[in-house]
Amino acid sequence: MMFPPLSLSCRALGAVLALTASASLHAGLVVHLRFDEGEGVVARNKADTSAPGVFSVTGAEWTTDVPETFVSRTAYRNTGNEGAYVSVKGDSEGISTFDDFTITGWVQATEVNGTAGAFDRILSKRDAVGQRAIDIGFINSGSGSKAGIGIGVLVGSLNQVVTPPIDFSEGWIFFAVTRVRDTGEISIYLGRSGREQSAQLERTGEGTPGPIKNNAPLMVGNTPMGVHRAGEASYSDIRIYNEVLDAAQIEAVRQENLSSR
């Protein structure tokens, strides 16, 4: 009986493992906005085609100012206009109720406000009752200066987990936020755009346990409730999963938006 060369078997096995990993990264997706269209006013939601991301009339535009390592050569840029956002309808399947979840994406901030209670949003799904809110935004992490801006997370009531200060002048940031329904535990991971710079766990803290339910729109680059909070920033490859990804899976998500060239 003849066996295939070992090198061929290894290549075949590697291909199977890569396909399996890719499939597992997409199994729990409920929102996936790549922002790779580069034109028009609609960003396809690759996880739910019935609920695309719709650009606001003013202040939401396309940009090609992305790292050379990105697979997608375009991204969504928010000019900071108070009425600027990309919106996904809030009663879409999978995002009217959040239990366990993971939210990932890429962001490059140019001019943002990190004042406590008025932080510019990266992503927000918030109705009139703040206890039913999910907010990810730019929050002053304690230094009192622009250089002190970090990424903060609020889920449910006023429980916040904030990263250390981030130097956005060094380029785009990859972020991942996980939340465990039963305990309310929130974890934030950060990474850069180099293939060799893996995402690292930065902060863990307690939020509000239990399901978070609302039908408010999901907005990228703003919030649907109260005074709008839009910062001048760009966004790429925003994903929401209905499960808690582990560190290896989160790193695989980061790598998926990076080219091998």
Side-chain angles (χ1 to χ4, degrees):
M1 181 176 182
M2 296 185 65
F3 294 92
L6 181 60
S7 60
L8 178 60
S9 298
C10 289
R11 286 197 298 269
L13 177 60
V16 170
L17 292 175
L19 287 171
T20 302
S22 178
S24 67
L25 288 181
H26 300 143
L29 272 174
V30 292
V31 172
H32 187 189
L33 304 172
R34 284 293 303 275
F35 297 118
D36 56 359
E37 293 80 7
E39 61 182 4
V41 295
V42 174
R44 291 188 299 274
N45 180 351
K46 298 178 185 300
D48 181 357
T49 56
S50 70
V54 180
F55 282 51
S56 61
V57 175
T58 60
E61 59 189 33
W62 298 101
T63 180
T64 57
D65 185 13
V66 298
E68 62 179 13
T69 52
F70 273 19
V71 171
S72 176
R73 305 310 303 156
T74 63
Y76 148 50
R77 178 176 179 267
N78 189 310
T79 66
N81 180 293
E82 285 301 284
Y85 55 80
V86 167
S87 180
V88 177
K89 63 180 184 177
D91 59 353
S92 306
E93 183 178 0
I95 67 168
S96 59
T97 300
F98 284 85
D99 291 311
D100 291 337
F101 68 73
T102 302
I103 299 173
T104 71
W106 292 84
V107 61
Q108 167 63 306
T110 308
E111 186 69 27
V112 296
N113 180 357
T115 303
F119 57 101
D120 291 338
R121 303 309 200 274
I122 295 171
L123 181 146
S124 177
K125 193 172 191 298
R126 163 182 285 270
D127 65 5
V129 180
Q131 284 75 14
R132 296 199 292 254
I134 295 174
D135 285 310
I136 301 174
F138 303 101
I139 300 183
N140 194 295
S141 58
S143 72
S145 67
K146 185 65 70 176
I149 299 297
I151 291 177
V153 179
L154 178 156
V155 179
S157 58
L158 296 179
N159 293 288
Q160 293 180 347
V161 181
V162 184
T163 70
I166 297 170
D167 185 355
F168 285 98
S169 68
E170 293 186 358
W172 285 66
I173 288 289
F174 171 81
F175 69 90
V177 174
T178 66
R179 185 259 187 172
V180 179
R181 168 200 162 119
D182 291 344
T183 63
E185 182 181 68
I186 297 168
S187 298
I188 308 175
Y189 298 75
L190 297 178
R192 291 284 184 178
S193 58
R195 290 193 64 87
E196 73 287 351
Q197 299 167 300
S198 60
Q200 301 294 323
L201 177 64
E202 289 290 344
R203 287 290 164 87
T204 298
E206 296 302 316
T208 304
I212 303 296
K213 300 181 179 181
N214 73 60
N215 287 329
L218 172 75
M219 285 190 176
V220 181
N222 214 321
T223 180
M225 292 304 301
V227 178
H228 283 193
R229 303 291 180 189
E232 186 178 336
S234 299
Y235 303 90
S236 178
D237 200 42
I238 299 293
R239 307 186 189 198
I240 300 177
Y241 293 82
N242 60 6
E243 59 185 337
V244 177
L245 301 186
D246 62 26
Q249 291 171 311
I250 287 170
E251 172 57 14
V253 171
R254 189 188 74 89
Q255 291 281 349
E256 270 205 344
N257 200 44
L258 301 179
S259 170
S260 59
R261 64 180 182 272

